[in-house]
Amino acid sequence: MAGLKEDPILGIDGITIKEELEIGKPEIDKSREDHPVLETGGAVIKGESLINNRSVIDKVREEGSCGQVERDMGPPTSNSIHRSGSRPQLDLSKAAIEGTFEERDPTILLPNQSDDISHLALDIGGSLIKLVYFSRHQDRPTTDKRKKTVKERFGISNGNRRSYPILGGRLHFVKFETSKINECLDFISSKQLHCGGMDSHSWHSETSSNGNAVIKATGGGAYKFADLFKERLGVSLDKEDEMDCLVAGANFLLKAIRHEAFTHMEGQKEFVQIDQNDLFPYLLVNIGSGVSMIKVDGDGKFERVSGTNVGGGTYWGLGRLLTKCKSFDELLELSQRGDNRTIDMLVGDIYGGMDYSKIGLSASTIASSFGKTISEKKELTDYRPEDISLSLLRMISYNIGQISYLNALRFGLKRIFFGGFFIRGHAYTMDTISFAVHFWSKGEAQAMFLRHEGFLGVLGAFMSYEKHGLDDLMVHQLVERFPMGAPYTGGKIHGPPLGNLNEKISWMEKFVQKGTEITAPVPMAPPGTTGLGGFEVPSSKGGTLRSDASALNVGVLHLVPTLEVFPQLADPKMYEPNTIDLSDHNELEYWFTVLSEHLSDLVDKAVASEGGTDDAKRRGDAFARAFSAHLARLMEEPAAYGKLGLANLLELREECLREFQFVDVYRSIKQRENEASLAVLPGLLAELDSMTEETRLLTLIEGVLAANIFDWGSRACVELYHKGTIIEIYRMSRNKMQRPWRVDDFDVFKERMLGSGDKKPRPHKRALLFVDNSGADVVLGMLPLARELLQRGTEVVLVANSLPALNDVTAMELPDIVAEAAKHCDILRRAAEAGGLLVDAMINTSDGSKENSSSVPLMVVENGCGSPCIDLRQVSSELAAAAKDADLIILEGMGRALHTNFNARFKCEALKILGKWHSRRQHLASFEVLSSLS
């Protein structure tokens, strides 16, 4: 990747590895060879000739809706597997043992299994209904020879640390107003969430409910509306304890989601990454109608230690009486325009405008909330509702903060997490609580908040389903995405979440027609806003007191169980992928400008990639509006979606493209450039073979740099391309790669490769080559380098994107490129055959199997993402397996070697190589190379 990477990027949405179910250690009863029985710990599955045919199912008969399935397998049996809330059923249709029978613990693949974790859970409160539901990723075929070879060579087990399935998919977070419960029921029904989801193969919409379906629920509404759910959906609500769910949800968020917790002081949000080994104990303060304070000592270990009846219900109740507001949000919006000095008695009011410095109280400190109204002969109607709302908000927030700190002090707790209906992401509320905790603790304790704080209870209810395994997820297995898919404006809900593509497009069109912004309102703070009891609260920076309750705040959590931490990171806890600091306003503004300026060009490419149809144009227009809305939201508050790095920002755009079904915008460009590059590859290989070892090695590195400028997301590359053919530009660029480079460790690398003096060459055992662009970059740059390493006895693993991003090559595209290249090179052919990249039909082989088997392999693995950047805390399991025995890592391109991972340190040797055609102010002019041997 060269240039500015001006056309970013693609997220991980939709990545799926083959979904498998490992049922303990199957034991086969061989007493009946005709119909052996497979014991699976409680479940007995009878199949037809399991030993000989590797088949698990004789036949399946499905009856009823919502997944109640009666299995008739082999001899007739009266046994049937029924749904229950705690024991998910198995969809055994088309089940088969995967792999060879000789495997010790063979994995049973259930291709149609979805009901085991396609759960829905509810938290039905007095004001809001919160839903969490799980949807499966779509299946993707993974039976190709490359996958099989990778599994065998790297020892990737079909099963992992769990004895039950964790399938890839998405956790969705949805809110409805409780008063609109019928909309909620319609939404559940339309998506068939009460029946295992729309991907459940055992769902039949035409039949009535069988009455056995169960949904986990918590909150008072789980009792109040139980009959309504039974009547409308035919399901029973399995009620879970509210406090159990609250704690379980908080623990899950804090352990499984990166950048979930944050502090909020003076309008500034800072994320806190907490080591899950150092999480407990903490104080969880849940502010609903009342307030509960819970000391959490571990998973399932907690105690309610205190509380107060002055909470969110108090604020809303008094506010409704005093201001006539009809909703909680309306009351909060009033507070943002208020001035509490007209109502609160300040220290200065008592001391004639003077401070009480002896005890550290300023003149603007609140001495008594609502105290000024005592001496004034005014009626309620004489006071502004805005001022009343602000005074009330400060009074209640301050007291909650103070009481929370005193309870934390009582138990020696340094961390206090606040959540619940009252906070609702409201910036001023968080500021007020934070200042209270900070003031009374003298900075010893911290108030922290959770981005998904409104979903604590429902997450806990969701996790109460047995054996879907969310309790041991690692932080790297959940990838947060922020799709454009919910009709919210100004923090208010306007109907059920959007479902299909047409609804999303229509919504975006209506937004623009109305001129409505997608962000929450941001009124200005009144001048001279004062503090609250005990200390002074400065107004938020920039003079804004905003609500954080934007619809775009809570994203979809993509569960990718096959993601792992890259094992060659020297210190994973200290690793930060992003090199560029987007907390620097100038950097943020620069990248937002780049993305905005190239948006129209990207839309043109996207529409063209789909044939330029009217439908594609409509989708392209909707994409542009959606992405612009996200940029506007992030420009207003960069931390709205968590800690913002360049990698996240670039992925966001491709995620929006995918939202509107643009899968591979640069597909035709990549195909054209691959063909042109492969046509000139034989001549380049012949040229390299005619050189001495030392000259060839230097030329290869220069060639990687020269080829890396072919980045079709860069305007500079397009302009350069008009000046000559690919091979002419490649040679011209290579000739300009004059040493010394900005970071130049070539001599160290050369000594390792070629030896010097008494030092003999030390070939690497396995090299991971993180490739970048399609076309010249991979064909003329990285493949010749891979070929050189193969000749020296080094196994080579080409690491490529799982999903398209710009013109980056993908792991799915690489085998065909290698196969074409191998037609002109025996070295590549033998290595590709050994690595499972070629099938017999592709290449006419003349070598015997003995020669082929002795060749070191050339392999391809997916990196687990779809971006020009890469976060090495979240890579595919096959890349993690390949990396364990690697002793050389080569990161190529701006995205992978500069924008991310420039500061990364590894356990083995690493080269970071990139060429750059045009520079940015803090980078180099002309070409830039970063080639460092760690």
Side-chain angles (χ1 to χ4, degrees):
M1 177 175 114
L4 297 174
K5 213 43 167 168
E6 295 165 288
D7 279 318
I9 299 353
L10 193 67
I12 307 183
D13 181 294
I15 295 178
T16 53
I17 308 301
K18 180 174 286 185
E19 295 162 339
E20 301 165 341
L21 171 63
E22 182 185 18
I23 310 181
K25 294 184 177 181
E27 297 178 2
I28 298 174
D29 182 357
K30 297 184 179 180
S31 62
R32 295 189 56 194
E33 294 296 324
D34 55 340
H35 291 291
V37 177
L38 181 65
E39 301 283 354
T40 62
V44 178
I45 304 174
K46 296 181 179 180
E48 173 186 302
S49 190
L50 176 66
I51 295 177
N52 296 325
N53 298 332
R54 300 178 189 167
S55 171
V56 181
I57 302 304
D58 179 26
K59 66 177 180 176
V60 177
R61 186 173 77 245
E62 300 180 355
E63 293 183 354
S65 66
C66 293
Q68 181 180 359
V69 182
E70 181 177 342
R71 312 292 180 189
D72 183 5
M73 302 151 62
T77 175
S78 61
N79 293 336
S80 60
I81 304 174
H82 294 279
R83 170 188 295 276
S84 74
S86 60
R87 185 163 187 161
Q89 67 182 33
L90 302 178
D91 182 349
L92 303 174
S93 57
K94 298 183 180 179
I97 290 217
E98 185 191 22
T100 62
F101 180 70
E102 288 74 20
E103 291 182 28
R104 181 178 178 183
D105 298 320
T107 293
I108 299 176
L109 177 65
L110 302 184
N112 295 335
Q113 174 66 13
S114 62
D115 187 51
D116 56 336
I117 58 171
S118 286
H119 290 308
L120 162 70
L122 300 164
D123 180 359
I124 311 175
S127 306
L128 292 175
I129 302 173
K130 281 81 68 178
L131 287 76
V132 166
Y133 69 93
F134 188 90
S135 66
R136 290 268 307 275
H137 284 314
Q138 293 181 352
D139 289 332
R140 192 172 62 168
T142 56
T143 56
D144 56 274
K145 186 178 179 182
R146 180 190 71 81
K147 285 276 187 183
K148 183 179 179 181
T149 303
V150 165
K151 274 192 170 187
E152 291 173 352
R153 186 170 294 276
F154 298 145
I156 300 175
S157 171
N158 286 329
N160 55 21
R161 50 189 172 277
R162 304 178 182 90
S163 59
Y164 45 84
I166 300 295
L167 309 183
R170 307 174 183 89
L171 271 178
H172 302 261
F173 300 84
V174 182
K175 289 188 297 187
F176 289 88
E177 295 176 14
T178 306
S179 61
K180 299 178 180 178
I181 190 168
N182 286 323
E183 283 189 7
C184 176
L185 292 168
D186 290 342
F187 174 69
I188 293 171
S189 179
S190 68
K191 285 189 172 291
Q192 306 169 18
L193 300 179
H194 58 310
C195 306
M198 298 180 77
D199 53 357
S200 175
H201 292 262
S202 54
W203 163 255
H204 298 283
S205 58
E206 290 137 5
T207 55
S208 60
S209 173
N210 59 66
N212 290 329
V214 176
I215 295 175
K216 294 288 189 179
T218 189
Y223 298 88
K224 182 178 179 180
F225 297 108
D227 291 342
L228 182 60
F229 273 81
K230 188 74 173 178
E231 177 186 339
R232 286 284 309 276
L233 301 178
V235 298
S236 300
L237 297 184
D238 187 2
K239 304 163 188 70
E240 294 292 326
D241 179 77
E242 201 163 349
M243 203 155 291
D244 286 343
C245 292
L246 197 68
V247 173
N251 287 345
F252 169 74
L253 290 172
L254 289 168
K255 290 194 295 184
I257 303 176
R258 186 173 288 115
H259 302 137
E260 175 64 28
F262 62 92
T263 60
H264 205 288
M265 292 280 282
E266 297 187 48
Q268 297 299 303
K269 180 187 289 185
E270 290 191 13
F271 291 95
V272 181
Q273 189 57 43
I274 299 168
D275 185 346
Q276 67 178 44
N277 297 319
D278 189 35
L279 173 60
F280 307 110
Y282 66 84
L283 187 70
L284 178 61
V285 181
N286 187 59
I287 314 173
S289 297
V291 183
S292 288
M293 299 179 186
I294 307 161
K295 178 175 177 282
V296 183
D297 293 305
D299 292 317
K301 299 177 183 178
F302 63 90
E303 177 188 3
R304 186 182 188 274
V305 295
S306 187
T308 172
N309 59 348
V310 179
T314 312
Y315 177 58
W316 193 353
L318 283 175
R320 185 173 179 274
L321 290 173
L322 296 173
T323 69
K324 307 302 181 184
C325 283
K326 297 180 180 179
S327 73
F328 192 94
D329 282 336
E330 185 182 352
L331 192 61
L332 278 180
E333 289 175 17
L334 277 181
S335 73
Q336 295 181 163
R337 302 191 295 273
D339 183 351
N340 69 308
R341 294 177 301 174
T342 64
I343 292 177
D344 293 339
M345 183 182 291
L346 311 181
V347 169
D349 295 327
I350 301 173
Y351 290 94
M354 303 292 289
D355 296 335
Y356 191 174
S357 56
K358 184 176 180 179
I359 58 174
L361 299 180
S362 69
S364 60
T365 296
I366 298 174
S368 175
S369 294
F370 288 84
K372 192 172 287 187
T373 63
I374 298 171
S375 57
E376 294 180 337
K377 295 180 181 180
K378 293 181 179 180
E379 299 298 325
L380 178 60
T381 54
D382 295 326
Y383 293 98
R384 296 172 67 235
E386 294 89 340
D387 301 339
I388 293 172
S389 178
L390 181 60
S391 179
L392 191 60
L393 177 63
R394 287 189 166 183
M395 179 183 76
I396 293 172
S397 299
Y398 168 66
N399 277 278
I400 292 172
Q402 184 178 15
I403 294 171
S404 300
Y405 164 66
L406 291 175
N407 276 281
L409 180 65
R410 177 181 164 204
F411 294 101
L413 305 176
K414 299 296 184 184
R415 293 196 188 106
I416 310 173
F417 294 101
F418 291 86
F421 165 76
F422 176 68
I423 295 174
R424 307 186 77 172
H426 190 249
Y428 198 73
T429 304
M430 293 188 287
D431 266 359
T432 309
I433 292 173
S434 296
F435 272 99
V437 172
H438 185 270
F439 177 83
W440 291 112
S441 71
K442 294 181 172 58
E444 290 293 317
Q446 274 189 315
M448 287 186 278
F449 307 91
L450 304 173
R451 286 191 298 125
H452 295 80
E453 52 90 10
F455 293 89
L456 298 186
V458 67
L459 268 171
F462 182 82
M463 294 178 64
S464 66
Y465 288 101
E466 295 177 11
K467 291 189 176 181
H468 58 38
L470 288 178
D471 52 345
D472 67 346
L473 281 176
M474 303 300 291
V475 67
H476 54 268
Q477 292 176 321
L478 287 170
V479 183
E480 193 166 5
R481 294 286 176 256
F482 296 89
M484 184 66 63
Y488 294 60
T489 55
K492 295 181 180 179
I493 304 165
H494 295 277
L498 303 171
N500 60 45
L501 179 63
N502 283 330
E503 287 178 352
K504 293 179 182 179
I505 296 173
S506 298
W507 180 52
M508 292 310 308
E509 291 170 342
K510 291 174 183 177
F511 252 163
V512 175
Q513 288 172 4
K514 293 179 179 179
T516 307
E517 292 188 3
I518 302 178
T519 56
V522 190
M524 296 298 293
T529 299
T530 60
L532 64 158
F535 57 95
E536 184 175 352
V537 180
S539 60
S540 298
K541 290 184 179 179
T544 60
L545 299 177
R546 70 174 313 280
S547 168
D548 222 13
S550 166
L552 303 180
N553 273 357
V554 177
V556 174
L557 294 178
H558 289 245
L559 170 57
V560 190
T562 53
L563 290 182
E564 299 184 29
V565 177
F566 190 63
Q568 289 292 350
L569 285 176
D571 188 351
K573 288 184 179 180
M574 296 300 294
Y575 169 77
E576 168 54 49
N578 291 289
T579 306
I580 296 172
D581 183 9
L582 291 186
S583 64
D584 181 330
H585 181 75
N586 291 331
E587 285 287 355
L588 186 65
E589 190 174 34
Y590 170 82
W591 286 103
F592 275 38
T593 300
V594 168
L595 292 173
S596 298
E597 287 180 349
H598 292 82
L599 187 54
S600 60
D601 182 59
L602 179 63
V603 171
D604 290 342
K605 284 187 172 65
V607 172
S609 72
E610 297 288 323
T613 63
D614 289 341
D615 172 69
K617 292 175 182 177
R618 189 166 176 239
R619 286 187 283 126
D621 186 51
F623 151 70
R625 293 171 182 175
F627 183 58
S628 295
H630 278 294
L631 287 183
R633 177 73 182 94
L634 289 169
M635 197 65 195
E636 178 196 356
E637 187 184 355
Y641 301 166
K643 186 176 181 181
L644 182 63
L646 184 57
N648 314 104
L649 184 61
L650 299 182
E651 279 189 332
L652 179 60
R653 191 174 74 172
E654 283 301 319
E655 184 67 19
C656 283
L657 279 170
R658 289 174 58 82
E659 275 287 299
F660 295 97
Q661 297 185 2
F662 294 107
V663 178
D664 191 352
V665 173
Y666 284 79
R667 180 173 56 245
S668 60
I669 294 176
K670 290 193 294 183
Q671 292 173 346
R672 183 176 68 244
E673 299 310 315
N674 285 337
E675 291 172 2
S677 301
L678 286 165
V680 298
L681 177 63
L684 175 62
L685 296 182
E687 175 192 350
L688 291 168
D689 288 341
S690 68
M691 298 176 181
T692 63
E693 276 193 327
E694 183 172 340
T695 302
R696 183 169 68 246
L697 189 61
L698 177 59
T699 303
L700 285 167
I701 299 300
E702 291 173 342
V704 172
L705 294 170
N708 188 233
I709 70 167
F710 288 87
D711 179 358
W712 299 99
S714 167
R715 286 180 178 175
C717 178
V718 177
E719 293 169 1
L720 184 67
Y721 187 63
H722 293 308
K723 299 179 180 178
T725 64
I726 279 183
I727 194 64
E728 290 171 343
I729 300 169
Y730 165 82
R731 294 185 191 280
M732 176 188 70
S733 302
R734 196 178 72 188
N735 291 336
K736 292 186 177 181
M737 296 295 169
Q738 300 297 318
R739 299 180 64 196
W741 301 315
R742 181 168 185 175
V743 179
D744 191 339
D745 291 328
F746 175 76
D747 291 334
V748 179
F749 180 62
K750 181 181 71 173
E751 183 177 296
R752 166 71 190 250
M753 295 290 288
L754 305 181
S756 66
D758 297 333
K759 295 182 179 179
K760 294 183 179 179
R762 293 178 295 130
H764 296 88
K765 178 181 178 182
R766 179 182 296 163
L768 302 183
L769 275 59
F770 287 76
V771 297
D772 190 8
N773 305 311
S774 294
D777 193 5
V778 66
V779 176
L780 305 183
M782 292 299 272
L783 277 185
L785 178 59
R787 177 176 177 262
E788 181 72 17
L789 292 167
L790 291 166
Q791 279 185 295
R792 297 178 180 278
T794 301
E795 293 182 358
V796 174
V797 180
L798 300 177
V799 183
N801 276 7
S802 298
L803 293 173
L806 291 175
N807 64 318
D808 289 359
V809 68
T810 67
M812 187 174 293
E813 296 163 341
L814 261 181
D816 288 340
I817 294 173
V818 172
E820 285 300 314
K823 291 179 179 179
H824 310 289
C825 175
D826 287 343
I827 298 168
L828 289 177
R829 177 176 55 78
R830 288 193 295 268
E833 287 174 345
L837 296 181
L838 302 182
V839 295
D840 294 338
M842 288 184 181
I843 300 292
N844 295 320
T845 62
S846 57
D847 301 276
S849 59
K850 182 178 180 180
E851 183 181 6
N852 293 338
S853 63
S854 64
S855 176
V856 291
L858 172 65
M859 293 164 284
V860 171
V861 300
E862 298 180 14
N863 60 17
C865 75
S867 167
C869 300
I870 186 169
D871 183 343
L872 293 174
R873 294 170 300 198
Q874 295 178 308
V875 303
S876 69
S877 56
E878 64 178 54
L879 172 53
K884 287 176 182 175
D885 293 327
D887 51 359
L888 176 63
I889 296 168
I890 298 179
L891 289 164
E892 182 219 7
M894 290 285 289
R896 296 166 185 82
L898 179 62
H899 294 154
T900 53
N901 300 306
F902 178 60
N903 298 316
R905 292 295 173 261
F906 301 96
K907 296 176 183 177
C908 64
E909 293 178 357
L911 287 169
K912 300 169 187 177
I913 309 175
L914 66 98
K916 186 171 183 181
W917 182 249
H918 276 312
S919 67
R920 247 205 91 192
R921 51 187 178 274
Q922 75 269 38
H923 299 157
L924 284 182
S926 188
F927 293 101
E928 178 180 18
V929 59
L930 300 172
S931 172
S932 56
L933 201 62
S934 299

